[in-house]
Amino acid sequence: MKSLKGVRMMGGWERFNTIVFVMLKLAYMNILWIFFTALGLVVFGFFPATISMFTIVRNWLKREEPLPIFHTFWHTYRKEFLKSNGFGLIFIVIGYVLYYDFTFIGLNSGKLTYLVPVLVLILIVYVITLLFFFPVYVHFDLSFFRTIKQTLLIALSSPLEAVQILLACGLVYGAVNLLPGITPFFTGSVLSIVVMWISLKAFEKIEKKKRNVFEQHRESL
């Protein structure tokens, strides 16, 4: 009985150590994300820093050979700085145009209200595409324009996963409001894991559909 109790205590202690270790890695990566975002003066640092974070998260979720966190972060940040900021510029311009349109309609209330549903739909597609962009970028090795096309197609063909990602963002936002002290330690890293995990499921579902269509087409020949 004593030995069994000791084994249980050791098992519980190991689980506790594992949880603490994972939390420390998440906190460390989140701090790196904030630091490298600030290093690029936020505007130019957000996209390469976020891509660096998603690169590490994908490695964790795919259970590939572990990557050194800081070295991978720094290497990816430098390598993807210009290309990722090219995408960032596109998203910033589109976001600014949407903001300007909503502001303009607000200042002319009653005159252009028929445009609101269209703009809301565009805004939803924009947000979902932005959320799927980072997983698509680090998972697929695509050219500039094919990355945009693939991101948009996946965002539009994965409504369930898109809703799950939006709910996850809402939960993280609620957690930050309740416990603002976690902001520098867990916000970006935790959200990146959830978004990447949901996105990988969406990628697998799309690949499965493609295989089924291919097999059906082959059988019909």
Side-chain angles (χ1 to χ4, degrees):
M1 291 293 292
K2 289 184 178 180
S3 61
L4 181 60
K5 183 178 180 181
V7 169
R8 288 177 178 174
M9 288 181 65
M10 288 181 62
W13 182 248
E14 288 177 0
R15 284 195 295 271
F16 175 76
N17 282 338
T18 301
I19 292 171
V20 171
F21 181 66
V22 169
M23 291 180 68
L24 286 173
K25 287 207 301 184
L26 289 173
Y28 177 50
M29 188 168 64
N30 202 82
I31 291 170
L32 287 178
W33 175 59
I34 293 173
F35 172 77
F36 280 101
T37 298
L39 187 65
L41 304 178
V42 181
V43 175
F44 299 108
F46 176 77
F47 271 77
T50 305
I51 285 170
S52 301
M53 180 169 61
F54 270 87
T55 299
I56 296 170
V57 166
R58 180 188 178 278
N59 172 263
W60 290 351
L61 294 177
K62 296 289 287 185
R63 299 181 184 276
E64 298 174 345
E65 184 177 349
L67 297 172
I69 296 177
F70 183 83
H71 175 76
T72 303
F73 217 106
W74 175 231
H75 174 75
T76 306
Y77 185 87
R78 288 182 300 165
K79 179 185 174 184
E80 306 295 343
F81 189 85
L82 292 177
K83 185 179 177 181
S84 62
N85 273 306
F87 288 108
L89 180 62
I90 293 173
F91 280 108
I92 289 172
V93 169
I94 294 174
Y96 176 79
V97 170
L98 285 171
Y99 171 78
Y100 177 83
D101 288 342
F102 277 107
T103 303
F104 183 78
I105 290 174
L107 294 174
N108 294 271
S109 57
K111 297 180 180 179
L112 301 170
T113 52
Y114 62 92
L115 290 176
V116 173
V118 177
L119 286 176
V120 169
L121 180 61
I122 295 173
L123 177 62
I124 292 172
V125 173
Y126 169 80
V127 171
I128 294 172
T129 303
L130 178 60
L131 292 172
F132 272 110
F133 166 75
F134 297 105
V136 169
Y137 189 98
V138 302
H139 187 73
F140 300 99
D141 185 16
L142 301 172
S143 63
F144 190 92
F145 291 105
R146 286 194 66 191
T147 299
I148 297 174
K149 178 183 175 182
Q150 185 77 354
T151 303
L152 185 59
L153 289 174
I154 290 175
L156 293 175
S157 61
S158 307
L160 178 60
E161 288 78 10
V163 171
Q164 291 173 344
I165 290 175
L166 291 174
L167 288 174
C169 292
L171 289 174
V172 171
Y173 178 76
V176 168
N177 282 336
L178 288 174
L179 301 167
I182 68 173
T183 301
F185 301 109
F186 299 109
T187 47
S189 56
V190 169
L191 189 58
S192 66
I193 286 180
V194 176
V195 171
M196 192 73 226
W197 181 78
I198 295 172
S199 298
L200 287 174
K201 296 296 181 184
F203 301 160
E204 291 174 6
K205 185 189 297 184
I206 292 171
E207 285 298 320
K208 186 177 180 180
K209 287 181 180 178
K210 286 182 179 179
R211 286 195 299 268
N212 291 338
V213 170
F214 176 76
E215 289 174 2
Q216 290 173 4
H217 177 71
R218 187 175 62 179
E219 291 174 358
S220 65
L221 294 177

